[in-house]
């Protein structure tokens, strides 16, 4: 494991566990001064974000603003250069010991990711497996559940997303919206405490968007904590608890979605919304 000094360039900052839900704050996600660069390109320039358990946070902004990169940093698919990210009180990707941060081994990071479901723009289903097989694969492979129990739960999840009649179908036989709903069921099969959605409807034909958003609305009603990168303004207004507008690697404006959409305070937010509404 590599050793990093908290607070120094290239190292996440040390912090206490004060933000953990176990300590009574109710925070599921706490990001502080998150920086991320790709070579000389600085993509994230000090992102602060808090999401309480059971909330839906929608990230809005133009292409290249850093939204998807930040989402990937939350589950350590991208390593941050400075700052810190905690999920349910646990520092993601690093362990603090003796006043220093030590990068976790990949096996340890993988264990953290199991509690964080992620749904991408593309569905990334296994084409040679049935719908049921795609949902069963991870819980069985990772030893979370016995195969019979995993199959039963997978069938329940697929019923929940409206695909109870497609268990034996293959991804190539499904529409894009159906494939994305399978991807959501697959993420839920790991019993995550947090769900991340990276523009889950952007690759879909317009008539298929609604069926995916309906599943996400159902998850929100059930109290799933969600961070959603989206351009679906109606979804953000109806379902979101917080709307965060990003541009140029920083948070420009954040607040109640209905208030931000109806009366944005920042000129950059106003200009963006004027083009998408």
């Amino acid at each position: 494991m590599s050793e990093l000094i908290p607070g120094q360039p290239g190292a996440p900052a040390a912090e206490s566990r004060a933000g953990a839900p176990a300590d009574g704050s109710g925070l599921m996600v706490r990001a502080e001064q998150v920086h991320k660069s790709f070579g000389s390109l600085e993509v994230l320039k000090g992102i602060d974000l808090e999401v309480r358990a059971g909330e839906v946070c929608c990230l809005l902004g133009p292409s290249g603003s850093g939204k998807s990169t930040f989402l990937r940093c939350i589950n350590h698919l991208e390593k941050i250069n400075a700052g810190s990210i905690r999920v349910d009180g646990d520092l993601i990707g690093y362990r603090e010991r003796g006043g220093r941060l030590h990068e976790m081994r990949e096996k340890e990071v993988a264990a953290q990711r199991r509690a964080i479901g992620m749904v991408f723009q593309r569905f990334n289903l296994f084409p040679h497996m049935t719908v049921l097989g795609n949902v069963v694969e991870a819980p069985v492979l990772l030893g979370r559940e016995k195969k019979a129990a995993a199959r039963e739960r997978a069938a329940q999840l697929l019923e929940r997303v409206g695909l109870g009649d497609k268990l034996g179908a293959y991804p190539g036989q499904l529409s894009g919206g159906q494939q994305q709903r399978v991807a959501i069921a697959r993420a839920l099969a790991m019993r995550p405490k947090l769900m991340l959605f990276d523009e889950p409807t952007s690759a879909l034909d317009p008539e298929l968007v609604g069926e995916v958003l309906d599943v996400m609305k159902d998850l929100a009603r059930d109290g799933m904590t969600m961070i959603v990168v989206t351009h679906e303004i109606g979804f953000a207004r109806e379902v979101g608890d917080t709307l965060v507008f990003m541009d140029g690697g920083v948070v420009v404006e954040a607040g109640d979605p209905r208030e931000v959409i109806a009366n944005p305070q920042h000129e950059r937010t106003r200009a963006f919304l004027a083009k998408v509404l």
Side-chain angles (χ1 to χ4, degrees):
M1 291 184 293
S2 59
E3 184 178 287
L4 300 171
I5 301 174
Q8 294 298 311
E15 62 163 291
S16 70
R17 289 182 57 86
D23 293 334
S25 74
L27 288 177
M28 179 60 71
V29 178
R30 184 180 185 184
E32 292 190 309
Q33 285 300 295
V34 173
H35 290 256
K36 173 64 183 177
S37 296
F38 295 98
S40 60
L41 177 63
E42 189 177 15
V43 178
L44 301 178
K45 304 174 183 179
I47 300 294
D48 292 314
L49 182 73
E50 292 184 350
V51 181
R52 300 180 69 82
E55 286 187 343
V56 177
C57 175
C58 295
L59 302 183
L60 195 66
S63 298
S65 59
K67 308 181 303 296
S68 294
T69 296
F70 177 62
L71 207 69
R72 292 172 64 86
C73 288
I74 292 174
N75 63 2
H76 209 62
L77 286 176
E78 296 289 353
K79 298 179 182 180
I80 62 178
N81 299 116
S84 64
I85 298 175
R86 289 184 183 270
V87 173
D88 200 11
D90 294 326
L91 187 64
I92 298 298
Y94 298 89
R95 179 180 293 106
E96 185 178 357
R97 187 172 64 243
R100 293 178 179 270
L101 294 180
H102 302 262
E103 189 172 351
M104 289 180 173
R105 296 183 178 91
E106 182 57 34
K107 184 177 181 180
E108 296 172 302
V109 176
Q112 289 186 321
R113 289 195 190 113
R114 292 171 196 169
I116 306 172
M118 188 159 186
V119 178
F120 299 88
Q121 296 178 36
R122 295 293 175 180
F123 325 121
N124 298 324
L125 300 177
F126 296 115
H128 63 288
M129 291 185 179
T130 64
V131 165
L132 185 67
N134 268 277
V135 179
V136 166
E137 179 72 5
V140 172
L141 186 65
L142 297 173
R144 280 292 187 87
E145 292 182 291
K146 298 294 185 182
K147 191 167 186 177
R151 287 176 64 87
E152 181 178 356
R153 175 166 164 76
Q156 293 171 350
L157 288 170
L158 288 164
E159 183 69 35
R160 178 179 181 179
V161 300
L163 295 172
D165 61 338
K166 300 291 185 181
L167 305 188
Y170 288 87
Q173 299 172 310
L174 304 180
S175 70
Q178 290 171 327
Q179 290 187 61
Q180 191 64 292
R181 285 184 279 155
V182 174
I184 293 172
R186 180 179 59 184
L188 292 173
M190 291 299 292
R191 303 180 187 273
K193 62 182 71 174
L194 169 68
M195 285 285 286
L196 308 176
F197 292 87
D198 188 6
E199 298 194 45
T201 61
S202 65
L204 301 179
D205 292 333
E207 64 268 23
L208 301 178
V209 168
E211 61 190 51
V212 174
L213 294 181
D214 285 343
V215 172
M216 295 169 64
K217 291 174 185 178
D218 184 57
L219 290 177
R221 282 191 292 267
D222 283 354
M224 173 63 73
T225 310
M226 299 159 58
I227 301 179
V228 184
V229 173
T230 185
H231 290 296
E232 300 292 340
I233 304 297
F235 175 85
R237 182 193 291 115
E238 178 184 349
V239 182
D241 295 289
T242 304
L243 187 148
V244 176
F245 177 72
M246 292 178 59
D247 190 30
V250 300
V251 173
V252 176
E253 188 168 347
D256 180 278
R258 289 149 291 278
E259 294 179 5
V260 173
I261 293 168
N263 188 29
Q265 299 301 299
H266 196 282
E267 175 57 36
R268 183 66 187 93
T269 314
R270 288 195 291 271
F272 177 81
L273 288 173
K275 293 180 180 178
V276 299
L277 287 176

